[in-house]
């Protein structure tokens, strides 16, 4: 805003305050999911004229992006975004020959809010263990489905 | 009690240990084992005892050797729970479903537990991917390899 030619003549400090005030207003109203009538009433109390109130409300209506961002802000445990797997068949190792053991290597790709780092979780498992894991995940999915039908 | 020097007994024990671990590691057949010890020139009775010792203990020795192999953390179990986020500091009046999980892994006799979270869409994706992984074992390619590598 500081570069906008139309606003050149206004004191930059005042401009910053105005911008901050407007942004805070929109964020707070959005946070509470306030509707237009509530905002208008509030702005009327602040002695803003009708035209200004209408303009503000029109801009406020276009706040989907702000809501989306607010929605995603917040702490949560590490969030799984994807999974990769590998099936291997072990023939021998230096301690033991003729092992003949299939195993799965599963990596859960994880995203953390804090640093954007990717502390992936990897583990190996047998077919039975993978079946157990998938069974449990399916239970969770089924109960999600049931919850949405309530 | 045996009236032999400590050194000799130590060497004897070490020799026995080496014989049994190497034989178990390679999983050699009875015939091969007998051929190998015949070279040592012991009495028939001793050879028979050694063979019996090998056969009796090789399963246990192999399972102990199996523990020594390099390993990634392995799956132990999974607990899960359904959560719905209703509000956060940045946004009120939400309905945000999530599945929170506690993944228990074993690493070299330590058990670790990691708390992870995922959304419903990713959960379904995880299930689909891991079911595909399980399906691979049943494919002809895998079956052929497992059959031919025994």
């Amino acid at each position: 805003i500081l570069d906008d030619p139309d606003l050149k003549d206004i004191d930059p400090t005042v401009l910053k305050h105005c911008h901050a005030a407007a942004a805070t207003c929109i964020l707070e109203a959005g946070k509470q999911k306030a509707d237009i009538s509530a905002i208008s009433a509030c702005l009327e109390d602040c002695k803003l004229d009708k035209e200004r109130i209408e303009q503000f409300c029109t801009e406020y209506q276009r706040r989907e992006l702000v809501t989306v961002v607010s929605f995603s802000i917040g702490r949560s445990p590490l969030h799984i975004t994807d999974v990769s797997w590998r099936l291997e068949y072990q023939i021998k190792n230096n301690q033991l020959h003729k092992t003949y053991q299939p195993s799965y290597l599963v990596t859960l790709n994880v995203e953390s809010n804090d640093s954007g780092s990717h502390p992936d979780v990897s583990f190996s498992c047998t077919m039975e263990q993978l079946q157990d894991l998938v069974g449990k995940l399916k239970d969770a999915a089924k109960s999600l489905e049931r919850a949405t039908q309530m | 009690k045996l009236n032999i020097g400590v050194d000799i007994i130590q060497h004897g024990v070490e020799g026995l240990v080496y014989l049994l671990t190497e034989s178990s590691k390679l999983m050699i057949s009875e015939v091969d084992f007998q051929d190998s010890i015949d070279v040592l020139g012991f009495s028939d009775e001793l050879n028979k005892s050694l063979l019996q010792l090998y056969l009796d203990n090789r399963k246990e020795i192999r399972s102990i050797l199996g523990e020594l192999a390099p390993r990634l953390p392995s799956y132990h179990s999974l607990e899960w729970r359904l959560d719905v986020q209703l509000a956060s500091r940045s946004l009120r009046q939400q309905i945000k479903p999530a599945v929170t999980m506690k993944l228990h892994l074993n690493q070299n006799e330590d058990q670790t537990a990691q708390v992870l979270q995922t959304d419903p869409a990713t959960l379904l994706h995880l299930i689909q991917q891991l079911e595909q992984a399980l399906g691979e074992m049943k494919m002809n390619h895998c079956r052929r390899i497992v059959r031919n590598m025994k």
Side-chain angles (χ1 to χ4, degrees):
Chain A
I1 330 175
L2 294 174
D3 294 332
D4 194 321
D6 290 339
L7 304 169
K8 203 165 30 147
D9 297 326
I10 313 179
D11 177 10
T13 326
V14 173
L15 212 49
K16 272 195 192 158
H17 280 167
C18 290
H19 183 250
T24 313
C25 209
I26 295 178
L27 275 173
E28 274 305 312
K31 192 195 289 189
Q32 307 291 345
K33 296 216 174 163
D35 58 14
I36 295 295
S37 50
I39 299 176
S40 307
C42 187
L43 292 176
E44 266 172 33
D45 287 344
C46 298
K47 314 251 191 330
L48 241 60
D49 56 63
K50 264 241 142 40
E51 199 190 303
R52 293 230 171 98
I53 294 182
E54 250 184 65
Q55 254 186 330
F56 187 81
C57 287
T58 324
E59 287 309 312
Y60 177 73
Q61 299 276 49
R62 301 212 255 119
R63 73 189 191 291
E64 280 117 30
L65 193 58
V66 174
T67 313
V68 169
V69 172
S70 299
F71 191 68
S72 55
I73 294 175
R75 296 196 176 281
S76 72
L78 300 172
H79 191 97
I80 303 177
T81 50
D82 201 356
V83 65
S84 7
W85 57 267
R86 184 171 92 194
L87 171 59
E88 49 190 31
Y89 192 64
Q90 194 191 122
I91 311 172
K92 62 164 81 162
N93 56 62
N94 70 328
Q95 306 288 356
L96 201 56
H97 291 205
K98 302 192 188 168
T99 40
Y100 300 136
Q101 185 82 276
S103 75
Y104 285 96
L105 176 60
V106 177
T107 301
L108 297 169
N109 303 111
V110 168
E111 194 178 71
S112 149
N113 269 336
D114 298 330
S115 46
S117 64
H118 301 276
D120 288 346
V121 178
S122 292
F123 59 89
S124 69
C125 58
T126 63
M127 187 167 169
E128 290 77 25
Q129 287 170 332
L130 188 58
Q131 277 170 337
D132 178 68
L133 175 60
V134 173
K136 295 211 168 99
L137 292 177
K138 280 166 117 167
D139 287 340
K142 256 189 239 142
S143 100
L144 247 179
E145 224 189 286
R146 255 179 275 137
T148 56
Q149 284 162 2
M150 281 198 282
Chain B
K1 272 192 284 200
L2 292 171
N3 264 339
I4 319 175
V6 175
D7 278 348
I8 300 182
I9 297 193
Q10 189 175 338
H11 287 157
V13 173
E14 282 171 3
L16 256 180
V17 167
Y18 183 75
L19 175 66
L20 288 173
T21 47
E22 280 303 298
S23 312
S24 305
K25 165 172 153 180
L26 300 166
M27 193 68 176
I28 59 178
S29 61
E30 279 184 46
V31 179
D32 287 336
F33 185 81
Q34 268 178 326
D35 289 343
S36 311
I37 57 178
D38 273 344
V39 185
L40 301 168
F42 293 142
S43 68
D44 270 343
E45 210 185 295
L46 188 55
N47 285 350
K48 257 206 218 146
S49 318
L50 283 172
L51 178 61
Q52 202 52 46
L53 196 62
Y54 167 58
L55 292 173
D56 289 340
N57 290 305
R58 88 172 144 185
K59 203 166 170 203
E60 196 183 330
I61 297 177
R62 278 180 71 80
S63 78
I64 296 174
L65 287 175
E67 307 273 312
L68 296 171
R71 283 215 289 217
L72 288 150
S74 69
Y75 174 77
H76 183 258
S77 63
L78 181 83
E79 299 173 72
W80 60 266
R81 141 189 128 183
L82 221 49
D83 287 335
V84 179
Q85 181 170 301
L86 299 172
S88 73
R89 183 176 164 184
S90 14
L91 190 62
R92 313 279 191 264
Q93 297 177 40
Q94 301 176 26
I95 300 184
K96 193 175 177 188
V99 179
T100 307
M101 302 184 273
K102 202 167 185 184
L103 181 64
H104 294 273
L105 299 176
N106 289 327
Q107 167 98 53
N108 298 337
E109 281 150 33
D110 300 318
Q111 255 206 37
T112 60
Q114 182 132 34
V115 179
L116 301 164
Q117 197 180 64
T118 188
D119 52 86
T122 311
L123 177 65
L124 294 177
H125 171 71
L126 292 182
I127 294 175
Q128 186 208 37
Q129 287 295 309
L130 293 176
E131 278 188 320
Q132 268 183 11
L134 280 172
E136 275 306 308
M137 273 300 292
K138 306 198 180 115
M139 296 262 111
N140 284 330
H141 180 72
C142 284
R143 286 204 159 133
R144 226 180 300 137
I145 294 194
V146 170
R147 249 199 322 256
N148 292 329
M149 292 250 220
K150 285 259 146 109

